[in-house]
């Protein structure tokens, strides 16, 4: 059924997923369709159980009694996975990316096929499904009655670059040095293990998609996402689309020079974003002042408690982040910048320093950029995987 949906029907589903239940009149207006076309497009989806009708309400557009349409969110489940160098973070969500179950655990074996088997076990555990013996066939989620909870897609995100290769029929190959992977055909391996279609994406790109459909970027046509952690990540949504990035682009952003007399990064740049903001830079700079090794969490904790060295390191990093945001907003002309990742605490602890630097680099105009600081939660990264699976399922492309 889903495979055969025309584009107009897919836009209806997308609109309902992102913006919630709506009357046919409201939907027709938003999507520039006649009510006749809308009824023609939605009827088979209602009959097939993809869309459901709510209780009778008065239509906000024309005041007539109507039954708003919604997607059958609970009946479609998605597995989202984020792989780090040593852990698998997994969630199972519904069609609106609401997390139903989540777990993270160490990667038992870094061999790609072993990671796929681990993903399958996590899917079974999180779905409350019993692995029905050892079956090498595709486990068709509809076979057990077609009720709530059939897993229909999966999305895996990695910090490396998943890119299309010319050699292997366009299958994305994954380079993830931190996993010891080079040119791994992850999507087909995962599909064989899980028995459902699988999309593989860069983790920052997936997080941007998540914010775009379900987070603070919902309803925004343009925004940027900056992630702060061991590396500095960046994604840009313009006119409702993610700007595609090459492997080289992805590695470039963190080394944007903010102050040519600043601290040095391992690549020998002075004052690049990574030299101020990456977790290892923050640890190294604070360690120098404290004359001992410190962890990233400890620096943040000590800064919050008023330690002079750590406070100073955090303030300097937040100032650099303010300048980085100013660069992004000025060049791309976005009005909203979302911050995510384990380093967002820098922006909270030294919000004034961030704001001062941002304003100074925006011709002194205060409030010209809306900075949204997200909670640091690894489940959100796994949810990004589920979101790219949902998008692929709904739009019919990845
Ligand atoms: Zn650098």
């Amino acid at each position: 059924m889903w495979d055969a949906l025309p584009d107009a029907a897919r836009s209806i589903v997308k609109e309902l997923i992102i913006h919630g239940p709506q009357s046919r009149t409201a939907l027709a207006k938003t999507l520039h369709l006649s009510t006749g076309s809308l009824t023609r497009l939605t009827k088979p989806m209602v009959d097939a159980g993809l869309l459901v009708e709510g209780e009778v309400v008065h239509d906000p557009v024309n005041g007539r009694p109507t039954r708003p349409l919604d997607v059958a969110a609970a009946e479609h489940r998605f597995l989202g996975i984020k792989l780090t160098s040593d852990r698998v973070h997994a969630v199972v969500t519904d069609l609106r990316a609401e997390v139903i179950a989540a777990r993270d655990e160490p990667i038992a074996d870094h061999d790609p096929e072993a990671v796929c088997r681990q993903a399958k076990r996590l899917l079974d555990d999180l779905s409350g499904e019993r692995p029905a013996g050892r079956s090498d066939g595709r486990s068709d989620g509809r076979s057990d009655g077609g009720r709530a909870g059939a897993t229909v897609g999966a999305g895996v995100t990695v910090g490396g670059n998943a890119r299309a290769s010319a050699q292997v029929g366009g299958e994305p190959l994954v380079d993830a040095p931190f996993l010891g992977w080079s040119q791994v055909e992850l999507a087909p391996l995962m599909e064989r293990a899980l028995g459902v279609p699988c999309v593989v994406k860069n983790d920052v790109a997936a997080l941007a998609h998540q914010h775009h459909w379900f987070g603070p970027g919902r309803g925004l046509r343009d925004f940027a996402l900056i992630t702060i952690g061991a590396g500095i990540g960046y994604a840009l949504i313009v006119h409702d689309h993610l700007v595609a990035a090459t492997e080289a682009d992805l590695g470039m952003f963190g080394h944007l020079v903010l102050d040519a007399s600043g601290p040095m990064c391992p690549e020998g740049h002075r004052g690049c974003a990574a030299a101020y903001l990456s977790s290892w830079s923050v640890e190294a700079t604070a360690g120098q002042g404290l004359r001992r090794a410190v962890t990233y969490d400890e620096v943040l904790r000590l800064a919050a408690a008023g330690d002079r060295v750590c406070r100073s390191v955090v303030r300097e990093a937040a100032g650099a982040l303010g300048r980085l945001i100013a660069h992004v907003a000025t060049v791309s002309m976005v009005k909203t910048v979302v911050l995510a990742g384990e380093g967002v605490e820098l922006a909270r602890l030294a919000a004034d320093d961030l704001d001062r630097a941002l304003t100074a680099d925006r011709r002194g105009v205060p409030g010209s950029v809306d900075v949204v600081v997200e909670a640091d939660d690894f489940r959100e990264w796994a949810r990004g995987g589920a979101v790219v699976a949902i998008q692929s399922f709904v739009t019919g492309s990845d």
Side-chain angles (χ1 to χ4, degrees), residues 26-161:
L27 268 176
K29 204 172 155 192
T30 309
L31 298 171
H32 308 291
L33 292 167
S34 70
T35 40
S37 306
L38 193 99
T39 306
R40 183 176 50 77
L41 286 163
T42 52
K43 185 163 184 315
M45 294 197 280
V46 173
D47 293 345
L50 304 178
L51 299 184
V52 289
E53 292 181 305
E55 295 301 314
V56 176
V57 294
H58 287 284
D59 192 319
V61 178
N62 58 21
R64 286 194 223 129
T66 178
R67 298 184 70 190
L69 283 173
D70 197 2
V71 286
E75 270 126 65
H76 300 84
R77 289 194 178 178
F78 297 85
L79 172 70
I81 283 189
K82 147 94 177 178
L83 297 172
T84 68
S85 58
D86 56 354
R87 300 190 79 78
V88 189
H89 302 269
V91 293
V92 167
T93 76
D94 68 11
L95 188 51
R96 277 213 175 83
E98 288 293 330
V99 174
I100 294 161
R103 185 178 305 168
D104 77 291
E105 59 182 36
I107 293 179
D109 177 343
H110 281 69
D111 174 70
E113 296 204 26
V115 170
C116 294
R117 283 194 298 275
Q118 189 170 1
K120 169 63 175 153
R121 184 184 43 73
L122 277 164
L123 173 62
D124 290 339
D125 288 356
L126 295 175
S127 307
E129 289 169 6
R130 221 165 299 281
R134 271 266 56 89
S135 151
D136 52 0
R138 295 170 71 86
S139 81
D140 183 345
R142 286 164 298 182
S143 59
D144 51 8
R147 296 296 310 277
T151 305
V152 290
V156 178
T157 76
V158 284
N161 188 22

Side-chain angles (χ1 to χ4, degrees), residues 210-211 215-216 225 338-341 344 348 372-377 380:
Q210 183 209 321
H211 285 299
L225 168 71
V338 179
L339 303 179
V344 288
R348 271 194 251 276
V372 180
V373 184
E374 282 293 277
D376 169 35
D377 182 349
E380 293 299 304

